[in-house]
């Protein structure tokens, strides 16, 4: 069936280290993927997206990698800061219809000082 | 700064009350969505709308209705609030077509007592 899942529900990293958050998807028809960040008490915030014709996309301190062969998506955060503490969601869109976005359950990232 | 605004951050209502959650977006987006977010269950789609006066059921519409009289406003209605509707409610919007992520509001935390 269709699913978007996360390998780890929680992740703890040392401040200054790089963080890697993983996500698996099962629908090979998905052509667009998004990462969201949700801080405590706030709504999800768009971080970065990637289309299925790409393998990698970089933003400011964040990189998303897409491996279509194994249906895997990852979010890398460089030099993790205390402000990066949040729940991170991946989401997939199985077509141009916006109603087809499916969200994963989220990974909580905590930063050790 | 474009945004989605939810009228209340926190609400406490009594069982059986009729509850209105309001959402307004200023991006001229066609699509608008209502989700609820519960620990361990992630984001679940209640209803969405792709045009004024149009609505579609999501995954968990029972106990809810919606209203979209104007393009910028999408209301979620709990006809008779119950304790199992205690949750975080998130509104989002997106353009009608194309691969775009959603823009979320800050959420309304509803407690039904």
């Amino acid at each position: 069936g269709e699913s978007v899942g996360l390998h780890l529900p929680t992740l703890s990293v040392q401040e200054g280290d790089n963080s890697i958050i993983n996500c698996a998807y099962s629908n090979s028809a998905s052509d667009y993927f998004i990462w969201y960040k949700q801080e405590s008490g706030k709504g999800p915030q768009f971080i970065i997206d990637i289309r299925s014709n790409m393998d990698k996309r970089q933003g400011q301190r964040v990189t998303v990698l897409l491996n279509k062969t194994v249906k895997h998506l990852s979010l890398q955060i460089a030099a993790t800061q205390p402000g990066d503490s949040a729940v991170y969601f991946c989401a997939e869109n199985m077509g141009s219809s916006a109603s087809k976005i499916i969200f994963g359950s989220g990974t909580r990232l905590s930063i050790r000082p | 700064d474009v945004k989605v605004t939810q009228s209340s951050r926190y609400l406490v209502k009594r069982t059986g009350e009729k509850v209105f959650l309001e959402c307004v977006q200023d991006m001229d987006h066609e699509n608008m969505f209502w989700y609820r977010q519960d620990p361990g269950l992630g984001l679940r789609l209640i209803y969405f709308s792709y045009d004024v006066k149009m609505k579609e059921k999501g995954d968990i519409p029972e106990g809810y209705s919606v209203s979209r009289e104007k393009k910028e406003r999408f209301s979620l209605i709990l006809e008779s609030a119950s304790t199992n509707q205690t949750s975080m409610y998130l509104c989002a919007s997106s353009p009608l077509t194309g691969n775009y992520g959603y823009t979320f509001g800050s959420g309304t935390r509803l407690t039904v007592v």
Side-chain angles (χ1 to χ4, degrees):
Chain A
E2 302 165 352
S3 67
V4 176
L6 293 164
H7 294 169
L8 296 173
T10 60
L11 178 65
S12 177
V13 299
Q14 191 78 32
E15 182 178 350
D17 287 353
N18 296 337
S19 301
I20 300 176
I21 301 171
N22 297 304
C23 179
Y25 66 94
S26 61
N27 194 317
S28 57
S30 295
D31 60 2
Y32 177 61
F33 303 88
I34 313 141
W35 279 101
Y36 287 91
K37 172 186 180 183
Q38 186 175 21
E39 297 175 273
S40 180
K42 299 183 179 179
Q45 181 182 14
F46 174 93
I47 302 174
I48 192 168
D49 59 1
I50 188 167
R51 287 173 169 72
S52 58
N53 61 354
M54 303 171 68
D55 298 321
K56 179 180 180 179
R57 189 162 188 225
Q58 288 184 289
Q60 188 176 15
R61 281 200 309 118
V62 294
T63 301
V64 55
L65 298 177
L66 177 62
N67 185 330
K68 295 181 286 293
T69 302
V70 295
K71 299 189 185 73
H72 184 267
L73 189 70
S74 68
L75 177 70
Q76 299 179 1
I77 304 173
T80 310
Q81 303 169 357
D84 295 326
S85 292
V87 175
Y88 291 82
F89 297 91
C90 64
E92 63 179 315
N93 188 333
M94 291 178 283
S96 61
S97 168
S99 66
K100 289 295 186 181
I101 287 183
I102 296 176
F103 293 88
S105 57
T107 291
R108 181 173 300 280
L109 177 64
S110 62
I111 314 302
R112 301 192 302 274
Chain B
D1 190 21
V2 294
K3 58 185 177 182
V4 175
T5 303
Q6 294 183 230
S7 56
S8 304
R9 290 297 303 275
Y10 300 95
L11 278 177
V12 180
K13 297 292 182 180
R14 295 192 180 277
T15 300
E17 277 193 79
K18 189 169 186 177
V19 182
F20 293 85
L21 302 183
E22 305 289 345
C23 176
V24 177
Q25 51 97 2
D26 64 2
M27 295 165 284
D28 201 35
H29 284 168
E30 289 81 6
N31 293 327
M32 295 189 75
F33 307 85
W34 275 106
Y35 286 86
R36 64 178 284 177
Q37 185 177 33
D38 301 287
L41 297 176
L43 287 159
R44 293 182 291 168
L45 181 63
I46 304 171
Y47 267 98
F48 66 98
S49 168
Y50 53 87
D51 199 357
V52 175
K53 297 192 185 296
M54 304 300 290
K55 60 184 180 183
E56 295 283 344
K57 293 180 179 179
D59 299 321
I60 52 163
E62 296 78 19
Y64 304 94
S65 63
V66 290
S67 173
R68 185 127 182 241
E69 296 296 319
K70 294 184 178 181
K71 188 176 185 180
E72 67 270 20
R73 186 180 297 270
F74 192 36
S75 302
L76 180 69
I77 304 156
L78 286 67
E79 298 290 342
S80 178
S82 63
T83 55
N84 63 11
Q85 292 179 308
T86 292
S87 185
M88 168 70 89
Y89 289 88
L90 290 162
C91 176
S93 72
S94 74
L96 181 62
T97 57
N99 284 331
Y100 296 98
Y102 296 169
T103 301
F104 282 89
S106 296
T108 296
R109 185 164 294 282
L110 172 67
T111 301
V112 182
V113 298

